[in-house]
Amino acid sequence: MTALVPLPVLLPLLGAALTLLLANRPLPQRVVSVSCLSATLLVAVLLLVRSYQHGPLVVEIGAWPAPVGIVLVADQLAALMLVVSSAVTLCVLLYSIGQGQAETGESAPLAIFHPTYLVLTAGVTNAFLAGDLFNLYVGFEMLLAASFVLITLNGTRLRIRTGSTYVVVNVLASMIFLISVGLIYAATGTLNLAHLAARLDALPDGVRLSLQLMLLLAFGIKAAVFPLSAWLPDSYPTAPAPVTAVFAGLLTKVGVYAIIRTQTLLFPGEQAGTLLLVVAGLTMLVGILGAVAQSDMKRLFSFTLVSHIGYMIFGVGLSTVAGLVGAIFYVVHHITIQTTLFLVAGLVEQRTGSTDLRRLGGLARVAPLLGLLFFVSAMNLAGIPPFSGFLGKLGLLQAGVAVGGVLPWTLVAVGTVTSLLTLYVASRVWSMAFWRAPCETVNPSAPLPGLTVGATTALVVLGVALTVIAGPLFEVTTGAAVDLRERTPYIHAVLPGGSP
């Protein structure tokens, strides 16, 4: 089974090479892309089952043993992230193919889209599997280099301007991350995560805290936590719908994943817990208040994306198993639902030519399936029972109550208010875009491409399925959280015997 561990990275990279060679042949290009991501999803499921039953799987690249060589590690957390990210990227790819047929009359979008999209996928999977800080940095750079191309597709002036902001901010975050990697290596002589877990504990508290804060700064920018999130609502809405959807669903979650991994494995305890809780509360409130003020669906969903990152940071900041369980469950939920909402916004734009709520209306009457897709996803995001959004938030709020104290109780209140405001925002979109009288922009006879609707429906079904399988999913997230808190399963798998 260890031979499967590199495949989630290798398959998309090989697919990217093939699709680049097939740039002038849209149909084979499409077949290669879909096949690669389907195979990646299958491998991810096998890795999740294996890691759940028998513990982490480790592969030493080039047969160089850890901590000298590069290792890929598929534990329960990494494997779970691989499964949900692979499912989402496959659905978004199908959506993009359908959208390409609708907008250009061809069988695929721009020829460069497929290889770039597959490189993005490889970067995401590499980041999840990385067993050392520098390989994590490489994963970030792979996905960011691809995202720079995707966010500026078609080269309109607005996309170039907002894409430039995205590039500058993320290059700055990458520089901070790289400087942190250099300082950590200078202080410890290693970058292997399992090795660092032992060596960082021996550093003076001040040095250790400084390194921790530098990593949090880099990952906080990438995860778009407040006050490092101002770039996101201006950058994401201008990109094509499938690009915006995969960015919203995955890229910020890679930053959240890096925070979870490093804070539990490298910096266990509550040293930065207070800071994380304060940041989580501000992220929730500022993000949702920004959403309340928006009149465009894409910008509104961008602000809800920022807001709900706060729930995940809340779980990490509690520094308990229950908090981590809630955070991991909510990451899985939010990847699925936030991606779905941006795809729905793309369908609205295809149908009406606009996502401005002031120009929309009557969609529930002329496109009832589209109304249903939005309603189910929006209620899930708002946390209405019995959807997975409710279960994730309930788990996080219960974890906060169990910790007790002024700050956790304040975060419980903030989380509740944020959930209510999310419901208000979702109801406002429903009322203006779907429920009120039709506007002139809505053409009752304009059909939506079947493939885009099918891909969006599949993600809606997946979001509902998270509720159905919530029991087994909580078992997996609990196992992942316990392993993260104990650290020894990861360390012993990478360094047999746990020896540094």
Side-chain angles (χ1 to χ4, degrees), residues 188-199:
T188 63
T190 185
L191 292 176
N192 182 278
L193 293 175
H195 204 192
L196 282 171
R199 292 204 170 184

Side-chain angles (χ1 to χ4, degrees), residues 463-489:
V464 174
L466 294 179
T467 304
V468 178
I469 63 170
L473 182 56
F474 265 113
E475 287 185 16
V476 174
T477 57
T478 300
V482 169
D483 287 351
L484 288 171
R485 287 286 293 173
E486 291 181 354
R487 301 199 298 169
T488 51

Side-chain angles (χ1 to χ4, degrees), residues 28 55 143 224 357 370 464:
L143 69 90
L357 294 176
L370 182 56
V464 174

Side-chain angles (χ1 to χ4, degrees), residues 94-104 346-351 369 373 446-457:
L94 295 173
Y95 180 101
S96 70
I97 293 172
Q99 188 184 55
Q101 291 174 329
E103 293 183 350
T104 67
L347 292 176
V348 170
E349 190 171 27
Q350 287 185 49
R351 186 65 189 262
L369 178 58
L373 295 177
L448 288 169
L451 195 53
T452 58
V453 175
T456 307
T457 303

Side-chain angles (χ1 to χ4, degrees), residues 61-75:
I61 305 299
W64 285 89
V68 178
I70 295 173
V71 294
L72 299 179
V73 186
D75 62 350

Side-chain angles (χ1 to χ4, degrees), residues 19-293:
T19 53
L20 191 59
L21 293 174
L22 297 170
N24 296 322
R25 303 181 64 185
L27 181 58
Q29 201 181 46
R30 177 177 58 181
V31 171
V32 169
S33 297
V34 174
S35 299
C36 285
L37 292 187
S38 299
T40 302
L41 175 58
L42 176 60
V43 170
V45 172
L46 293 175
L47 289 176
L48 178 59
V49 173
R50 175 60 175 77
S51 62
Y52 175 73
Q53 294 177 342
H54 303 288
L57 286 166
V58 180
V59 168
E60 297 171 342
I61 305 299
W64 285 89
V68 178
I70 295 173
V71 294
L72 299 179
V73 186
D75 62 350
Q76 290 186 69
L77 175 61
L80 180 60
M81 294 297 101
L82 285 176
V83 170
V84 67
S85 65
S86 299
V88 165
T89 50
L90 177 59
C91 289
V92 173
L93 176 65
L94 295 173
Y95 180 101
S96 70
I97 293 172
Q99 188 184 55
Q101 291 174 329
E103 293 183 350
T104 67
E106 300 174 356
S107 57
L110 293 172
I112 195 63
F113 175 85
H114 287 277
T116 309
Y117 188 81
L118 290 172
V119 170
L120 177 83
T121 303
V124 171
T125 55
N126 186 64
F128 289 148
L129 292 170
D132 66 87
L133 279 179
F134 189 77
N135 197 29
L136 179 60
Y137 171 79
V138 170
F140 271 115
E141 292 310 294
M142 288 171 62
L143 69 90
L144 288 175
S147 68
F148 296 159
V149 177
L150 293 174
I151 203 169
T152 55
L153 279 179
N154 296 327
T156 64
R157 177 175 297 183
L158 180 59
R159 286 180 184 175
I160 295 296
R161 181 180 63 81
T162 56
S164 298
T165 302
Y166 175 85
V167 169
V168 170
V169 171
N170 281 278
V171 167
L172 175 62
S174 295
M175 289 177 61
I176 296 172
F177 186 16
L178 188 58
I179 292 170
S180 304
V181 169
L183 292 175
I184 289 173
Y185 185 77
T188 63
T190 185
L191 292 176
N192 182 278
L193 293 175
H195 204 192
L196 282 171
R199 292 204 170 184
L200 282 170
D201 290 340
L203 295 179
D205 289 344
V207 174
R208 190 166 173 270
L209 179 60
S210 298
L211 297 174
Q212 181 181 13
L213 292 178
M214 286 195 67
L215 286 178
L216 280 176
L217 177 60
F219 298 147
I221 295 174
K222 294 179 182 296
V225 300
F226 183 83
L228 310 171
S229 57
W231 59 272
L232 190 149
D234 290 330
S235 301
Y236 282 12
T238 61
V243 174
T244 303
V246 79
F247 280 19
L250 285 180
L251 297 199
T252 52
K253 307 312 182 302
V254 178
V256 173
Y257 168 85
I259 291 175
I260 294 174
R261 178 68 75 189
T262 55
Q263 293 308 299
T264 55
L265 184 59
L266 305 186
F267 307 102
E270 303 177 3
Q271 196 168 16
T274 300
L275 173 63
L276 288 173
L277 290 177
V278 171
V279 166
L282 291 174
T283 302
M284 282 189 269
L285 277 181
V286 173
I288 199 61
L289 291 176
V292 169

